[in-house]
Amino acid sequence: MTESNHLLVICTCPSHEEAKKLSRLIISGHLAACVNLIHGVTSIYSWNETIAEDNEIILLIKTTRDSYSALEQAILNHHPYELPEIIAVDINDGNSNYLKWISECVKPLD
C-alpha cells in the first residue's frame, strides 16, 4: 500500500473564537487548505484523575504529510490547552481535483 500524501487532522478548541483564531493562523501560514469548525460537541474525558466534561469545537484540518510537522508545531505553540488533541488520519481516497487543490494550497516549510 502506498502512503497517502494528504491528511485530515483533528483538533478541538474550547470556544468558537479560539477555533477561528487558530484556523486563521493555520490557513494564513499555508499549513492547510481548509479548516472546518464543528460546533455542539460535548467531550467527556479523563484528566488529572477525574472525569471532565466540556463543550468544544472540533477542527477538521485538511493538509499534506509534508506540512504536518509545521502544522503540529503551530497548534502546540498557539493552542490554549496544555495538551491539545492533535490526531492525523491518512486520506487514502477522495475527489482527485479536491486533493490536488489541497496540495496547491499547502506550502511546506523548507
Side-chain angles (χ1 to χ4, degrees):
M1 177 185 268
T2 60
E3 187 175 88
S4 171
N5 187 48
H6 298 93
L7 298 173
L8 175 66
V9 178
I10 303 163
C11 181
T12 54
C13 283
S15 71
H16 180 74
E17 288 307 312
E18 288 288 344
K20 280 184 13 180
K21 180 178 161 184
L22 186 58
S23 297
R24 289 181 181 282
L25 176 97
I26 289 167
I27 297 299
S28 67
H30 302 282
L31 300 173
C34 176
V35 181
N36 301 114
L37 282 60
I38 302 174
H39 296 260
V41 175
T42 300
S43 296
I44 300 171
Y45 55 97
S46 177
W47 188 251
N48 294 327
E49 299 183 23
T50 63
I51 296 176
E53 181 174 327
D54 287 306
N55 293 320
E56 294 184 301
I57 310 296
I58 291 180
L59 281 64
L60 299 179
I61 306 164
K62 278 72 88 181
T63 191
T64 61
R65 182 168 302 285
D66 292 340
S67 292
Y68 176 76
S69 293
L71 171 64
E72 180 183 46
Q73 195 58 56
I75 294 170
L76 291 171
N77 289 343
H78 298 281
H79 201 286
Y81 289 165
E82 178 183 344
L83 180 61
E85 174 182 6
I86 307 171
I87 298 172
V89 180
D90 285 329
I91 300 173
N92 293 315
D93 293 302
N95 178 285
S96 61
N97 289 328
Y98 187 82
L99 298 176
K100 180 181 174 191
W101 171 74
I102 292 172
S103 295
E104 291 170 352
C105 290
V106 178
K107 310 282 191 258
L109 298 175
D110 295 327

